[in-house]
Amino acid sequence: MDIQFDMTRPLPETQPWSKPFWEGTKQGKLLIQHCRDCNANIFYPRKVCPECWSKNMDWIMAGGKAKVYMFSTAYDMVEPKFMADLPYTLAYVNLEEGIRMMTRIVECDPTDIHIDMEVEVVFHKLNDEFYLPYFRPVKK
Amino acid sequence: MSNSNLAIIGIGEVPTRIMPERTRWDILYDVCMEAIRDSGLDKNDIEAVINVAPQAQPKLAAELSFGKLPEELGLKGCKDTCVCNAGGASTSNCIRLAEQYIASGIAKAVLIPHVTVHSTIPLEEQINFFAKAGVDMQWEYPFGTTYNILMGMMANRYMHETGAKPEHMASVVTALRSWATKDPNSFFYQKKVPTPQMVMESPLLNTPFHKRESNILGDGGSAMVVVSAQDAGRMNKPVAYKLGESVRYFSGTPVLRDFYKVAEGFSVTAREAMAEAGVTKDDISLWNIYMAYPMNHPIMAEALGVAPIGEGAKYFAEGRMSFGGDIPWSTIGDAPGRGHTGSGVSTAMYVETARQIMGKAGERQVKECRYVFQNTAGGSGFNNIATVWGKEI
Ligand SMILES: [Zn+2]
């Protein structure tokens, strides 16, 4: 069987209002959308505040510290374009700013990863335009 | 007192297999004709067709959306047709829309069919569809998500919360397959039921998820005919009445779906659906649970109060949900037992609910099956729809 798989690394499909987030990651900053009217920290970024529909929104810089909420380490059966990365660990992490995001946990042995593990952001370059926020264990 | 006014009066189904030689239309003819014949109605009594949206089959979706089915089958009395799409929750919405057609006088009898043929979809398209469906293209997909990984994360959290052991989790597959081996329409009909040990010895795909816990993509189809409860009552044959329903929306993007809120949503919808039906959990003869993956079954068992909190997986390990156990559960074995037919697994669940209530489930027949609790969910679990069905109103 001669199957041609799409091996292109997928880039985030952005919206106009999420561009500052990705500009931030390029500069090593993890930005969180913030509503000036109701004070909500918002993830993922929206066109209007999902709490109060305000357009009076801003960005705050996250401290970059988080805890693993849940995770799973992949060893097989991912898309061909991600095969070269195996094994890799995907996780939801809770940031100190009260938001939760999907990420990869890197720079450690996958078998050491556990729920509530303390992690910190590290930016992974996809290309000149996009850096993904990954997390690594906080060194004690 | 039920707010619904609907009953399933006829069902049709083909076995789920890998059978590329059968075209989608070939299967549609068979399941629709069988359901209409089973209903006791004439083909020209069918006044509307509401199709379950076929996933990853754009040509068929277009044909059905643009009205081909009533014409193919010569349904001369048909007044309208459409397609309903909410992923795995599509069939629930087809049924709701049928209720509206019936209540508003558009149609007295409505046909609800589904078909999926995976085996003729090119492999790269299949992989790509299942990698992207129900995940966010900006905030999730670029990290390398798969459905298996999302389910693995949930399972890891559940095991962390409850202390459930891997062999307990693996036993869910054993339970589901114990039903599937008795089901002529299952991919695993008459196939050996894997022990929890065999499940755990299969390759680890992503923690804590093994190859034998994943789904086989199959080809299949099913259909049902529904009418008002009053019309069904006059037919002098076993029918399945819809008695209660409740639903909660969680989130479209998996990362925004909180583990506890989902479990709470399972509980609340069950309570509300049973209250509307005027039954309690002790009245339920069969828990026909749709999770698409084995790992969430223990969470649901606990949310329903069928198993004590923290003991859902243990109940499966003890064989209580298996064929012959004391808690009849997912009698087609959910997607892991039936074979995955896209949004068709939940269609098949409704067909099984009706089959059990009608007393036509053969070896899998639940004794004195009076009330069935059934749930569905769409996408990667954006919602949970709970329904209660019964033998009489
Ligand atoms: Zn706000």
Side-chain angles (χ1 to χ4, degrees):
Chain A
M1 229 179 344
D2 184 25
I3 300 172
Q4 288 297 312
F5 288 105
D6 175 10
M7 299 299 279
T8 321
R9 191 82 192 193
L11 300 173
E13 294 181 13
T14 64
Q15 294 292 340
W17 48 89
S18 65
K19 292 235 163 77
F21 178 91
W22 297 109
E23 283 301 316
T25 59
K26 267 183 352 195
Q27 297 160 24
K29 295 177 189 163
L30 187 62
L31 298 180
I32 299 174
Q33 204 181 25
H34 179 78
C35 175
R36 285 193 187 127
D37 285 341
C38 78
N39 247 350
N41 286 342
I42 301 156
F43 189 83
Y44 52 88
R46 318 287 164 91
K47 185 177 179 182
V48 298
C49 170
E51 305 298 326
C52 73
W53 276 15
S54 167
K55 288 188 173 175
N56 185 16
M57 295 203 286
D58 200 356
W59 297 87
I60 59 167
M61 200 161 110
K65 295 279 195 297
K67 278 187 182 176
V68 173
Y69 178 67
M70 43 193 194
F71 71 96
S72 177
T73 301
Y75 292 94
D76 199 357
M77 286 272 276
V78 298
E79 271 192 284
K81 64 184 78 169
F82 292 115
M83 282 286 189
D85 297 359
L86 289 172
Y88 62 85
T89 303
L90 288 193
Y92 296 169
V93 294
N94 291 334
L95 272 69
E96 286 172 339
E97 289 76 12
I99 60 147
R100 180 177 297 163
M101 54 193 298
M102 179 178 272
T103 188
R104 278 199 197 180
I105 306 295
V106 293
E107 297 182 30
C108 64
D109 183 337
T111 59
D112 290 337
I113 299 169
H114 57 88
I115 286 171
D116 292 333
M117 184 181 206
E118 291 180 19
V119 290
E120 63 188 11
V121 73
V122 51
F123 296 95
H124 174 82
K125 184 177 181 177
L126 288 184
N127 63 14
D128 287 343
E129 291 305 306
F130 287 102
Y131 284 66
L132 289 181
Y134 286 2
F135 284 76
R136 66 182 174 201
V138 173
K139 293 203 174 65
K140 290 280 157 80
Chain B
M1 178 65 195
S2 171
N3 296 321
S4 293
N5 181 5
L6 181 115
I8 301 171
I9 61 166
I11 54 176
E13 194 157 45
V14 295
T16 294
R17 301 281 187 270
I18 291 172
M19 43 183 178
E21 66 282 6
R22 297 200 68 175
T23 67
R24 299 183 172 103
W25 281 99
D26 183 1
I27 293 172
L28 277 174
Y29 269 93
D30 285 0
V31 296
C32 291
M33 289 171 72
E34 188 182 328
I36 294 169
R37 284 190 180 124
D38 187 50
S39 75
L41 299 180
D42 182 82
K43 74 175 174 66
N44 298 334
D45 294 331
I46 300 298
E47 293 186 329
V49 180
I50 303 178
N51 296 281
V52 177
Q55 304 296 328
Q57 300 155 98
K59 201 165 138 251
L60 177 68
E63 286 176 326
L64 295 174
S65 307
F66 302 152
K68 195 146 190 280
L69 195 139
E71 170 192 296
E72 279 279 347
L73 284 160
L75 307 178
K76 306 288 183 194
C78 183
K79 295 174 180 169
D80 208 358
T81 184
C82 70
V83 170
C84 243
N85 194 357
S90 300
T91 312
S92 306
N93 286 288
C94 293
I95 291 170
R96 290 165 170 168
L97 186 55
E99 285 185 68
Q100 196 279 334
Y101 276 29
I102 291 165
S104 65
I106 292 173
K108 278 188 176 329
V110 180
L111 175 68
I112 301 174
H114 166 266
V115 64
T116 283
V117 174
H118 276 129
S119 62
T120 54
I121 303 174
L123 184 62
E124 63 273 30
E125 275 178 41
Q126 277 184 33
I127 291 174
N128 197 256
F129 176 81
F130 280 99
K132 287 182 174 172
V135 305
D136 192 279
M137 287 297 109
Q138 184 168 199
W139 307 107
E140 298 183 322
Y141 183 60
F143 293 94
T145 53
T146 64
Y147 265 43
N148 290 349
I149 296 174
L150 295 174
M151 296 300 154
M153 286 203 270
M154 284 280 273
N156 269 333
R157 182 82 210 182
Y158 172 79
M159 291 166 76
H160 172 80
E161 298 278 330
T162 62
K165 297 194 164 56
E167 57 268 33
H168 293 163
M169 301 302 282
S171 68
V172 177
V173 176
T174 304
L176 296 174
R177 289 279 298 274
S178 75
W179 290 104
T181 193
K182 308 280 184 191
D183 176 5
N185 288 320
S186 164
F187 190 87
F188 294 103
Y189 180 50
Q190 292 182 333
K191 300 253 169 73
K192 186 176 158 56
V193 178
T195 61
Q197 196 59 32
M198 288 161 70
V199 173
M200 285 194 301
E201 282 167 2
S202 65
L204 184 66
L205 301 183
N206 55 272
T207 56
F209 193 86
H210 301 84
K211 194 163 186 189
R212 281 185 188 269
E213 287 167 293
S214 66
N215 289 311
I216 303 275
L217 294 181
D219 307 333
S222 51
M224 62 189 121
V225 174
V226 299
V227 298
S228 72
Q230 290 86 342
D231 284 353
R234 283 192 286 269
M235 296 192 77
N236 204 22
K237 64 188 274 272
V239 301
Y241 294 97
K242 184 177 172 186
L243 302 179
E245 177 170 24
S246 171
V247 60
R248 286 296 184 280
Y249 170 80
F250 303 127
S251 76
T253 302
V255 70
L256 297 187
R257 207 169 298 148
D258 187 75
F259 182 88
Y260 301 99
K261 281 199 185 132
V262 170
E264 175 63 15
F266 290 169
S267 289
V268 169
T269 50
R271 268 203 308 276
E272 289 178 355
M274 285 192 271
E276 189 194 326
V279 301
T280 69
K281 77 181 170 66
D282 297 331
D283 297 317
I284 301 297
S285 320
L286 161 62
W287 301 94
N288 204 12
I289 299 304
Y290 170 78
M291 296 268 106
Y293 272 83
M295 299 174 144
N296 292 336
H297 280 262
I299 301 173
M300 180 58 97
E302 292 173 25
L304 294 172
V306 169
I309 296 293
E311 291 186 32
K314 214 170 120 232
Y315 267 43
F316 281 92
E318 289 167 359
R320 301 189 63 175
M321 279 79 161
S322 296
F323 178 81
D326 64 327
I327 305 171
W329 185 276
S330 298
T331 47
I332 64 169
D334 195 6
R338 170 52 73 92
H340 201 300
T341 52
S343 293
V345 180
S346 63
T347 320
M349 300 290 288
Y350 282 105
V351 166
E352 175 71 356
T353 288
R355 186 186 285 119
Q356 287 281 357
I357 288 172
M358 292 170 174
K360 300 196 284 200
E363 225 183 325
R364 288 169 294 108
Q365 182 63 47
V366 172
K367 282 197 197 92
E368 293 163 39
C369 189
R370 270 188 80 195
Y371 296 106
V372 177
F373 175 92
Q374 197 207 304
N375 80 306
T376 60
S380 52
F382 76 79
N383 66 349
N384 186 64
I385 301 175
T387 52
V388 176
W389 298 77
K391 220 178 174 62
E392 59 254 343
I393 293 183

